[in-house]
Amino acid sequence: AQSVTQPDIHITVSEGASLELRCNYSYGATPYLFWYVQSPGQGLQLLLKYFSGDTLVQGIKGFEAEFKRSQSSFNLRKPSVHWSDAAEYFCAVGPTSGTYKYIFGTGTRLKVLA
Amino acid sequence: KAGVTQTPRYLIKTRGQQVTLSCSPISGHRSVSWYQQTPGQGLQFLFEYFSETQRNKGNFPGRFSGRQFSNSRSEMNVSTLELGDSALYLCASSTTGDTEAFFGQGTRLTVV
């Protein structure tokens, strides 16, 4: 069955520190992978996506993610966190042709200390 | 380019009532999906419509239904509301359904 695991429910980092949010997936084929961010009471904003090709993808707001097929992972990174990055982050697989739906992880809530 | 618009943003309903939520996709997008977000269950897929046809449906009871109009706007309806239906309902649109989706800000439904 397809699934996405975000092992860290909460992460706290200091402003200016580096960040890595973990994401592992289970999928029968090469998945489409996404990271979304959600601020309180808001919808989801796409940070970046991986369809194929270069396994290191760049996104908005200085985020990047690396697809590692051997580890079934798609971890999100940022070299220097800003206070405005405090939000909830969701990793997702899909939608791929025939499914037309995303499968989301449970999310990681990021807190940034001043 | 306008984003995905969901109306209303907030709703309070009583148990047993029914509710209709609306979603206007990005211009040119023909696929509209709906998700329910709750603290306990996270984000769960409800259904996806493309060119007025439901192509995929999640594991929700028949009280949850939807439709899509010829202009790609979509509505979802929940009948006989239960307390557990309280959630943030998110709509997402994409060009064909198998590319990245763009989400609206959601409708916060509270059932009392």
Side-chain angles (χ1 to χ4, degrees), chain A residues 36 38 42-43 95 99-100 102, chain B residues 35 37 55-56 97 101 104-105:
Chain A
Y36 283 88
Q38 185 179 36
Q42 301 298 311
T99 65
Y100 308 112
Y102 285 84
Chain B
Y35 291 82
Q37 185 178 25
R55 292 196 296 192
N56 205 350
Q105 291 191 299

Side-chain angles (χ1 to χ4, degrees), chain A:
Chain A
Q2 303 161 4
S3 66
V4 177
T5 302
Q6 293 180 249
D8 304 305
I9 299 174
H10 298 279
I11 282 186
T12 300
V13 300
S14 297
E15 190 170 21
S18 64
L19 173 70
E20 182 169 26
L21 303 182
R22 296 182 291 165
C23 172
N24 293 97
Y25 66 88
S26 174
Y27 198 79
T30 301
Y32 293 169
L33 293 160
F34 304 82
W35 275 99
Y36 283 88
V37 62
Q38 185 179 36
S39 297
Q42 301 298 311
L44 302 176
Q45 181 183 22
L46 179 66
L47 285 175
L48 47 78
K49 61 185 183 285
Y50 173 78
F51 286 173
S52 64
D54 193 345
T55 57
L56 184 63
V57 294
Q58 302 297 322
I60 63 171
K61 304 184 180 186
F63 286 93
E64 66 178 26
E66 186 171 13
F67 170 60
K68 292 185 177 180
R69 185 192 305 275
S70 61
Q71 298 177 20
S72 297
S73 69
F74 188 57
N75 294 348
L76 182 71
R77 301 193 294 248
K78 186 170 185 178
S80 178
V81 169
H82 188 262
W83 65 266
S84 61
D85 293 325
E88 191 156 21
Y89 293 79
F90 293 91
C91 180
V93 297
T96 56
S97 180
T99 65
Y100 308 112
K101 66 177 180 179
Y102 285 84
I103 297 172
F104 286 89
T106 50
T108 297
R109 187 172 297 278
L110 174 65
K111 181 177 180 179
V112 181
L113 301 177

Side-chain angles (χ1 to χ4, degrees), chain B residues 9-102:
Chain B
R9 289 292 312 278
Y10 302 93
L11 268 177
I12 300 176
K13 290 288 187 179
T14 304
R15 273 181 301 174
Q17 287 186 313
Q18 74 165 16
V19 67
T20 299
L21 312 182
S22 178
C23 172
S24 294
I26 292 171
S27 178
H29 285 193
R30 297 167 63 189
S31 169
V32 174
S33 298
W34 290 88
Y35 291 82
Q36 181 195 64
Q37 185 178 25
T38 59
Q41 299 297 318
L43 282 149
Q44 293 188 291
F45 172 77
L46 280 157
F47 25 65
E48 189 260 356
Y49 287 87
F50 183 83
S51 294
E52 303 179 67
T53 299
Q54 186 183 91
R55 292 196 296 192
N56 205 350
K57 189 179 191 312
N59 188 25
F60 277 83
R63 300 185 297 107
F64 291 81
S65 62
R67 59 177 175 169
Q68 186 180 34
F69 302 95
S70 58
N71 62 358
S72 294
R73 189 178 72 85
S74 177
E75 291 181 346
M76 68 163 282
N77 184 77
V78 187
S79 62
T80 319
L81 284 166
E82 301 177 359
L83 295 179
D85 297 332
S86 296
L88 181 66
Y89 289 89
L90 292 165
C91 165
S93 78
S94 69
T95 50
T96 57
D98 57 359
T99 56
E100 68 264 36
F102 296 86

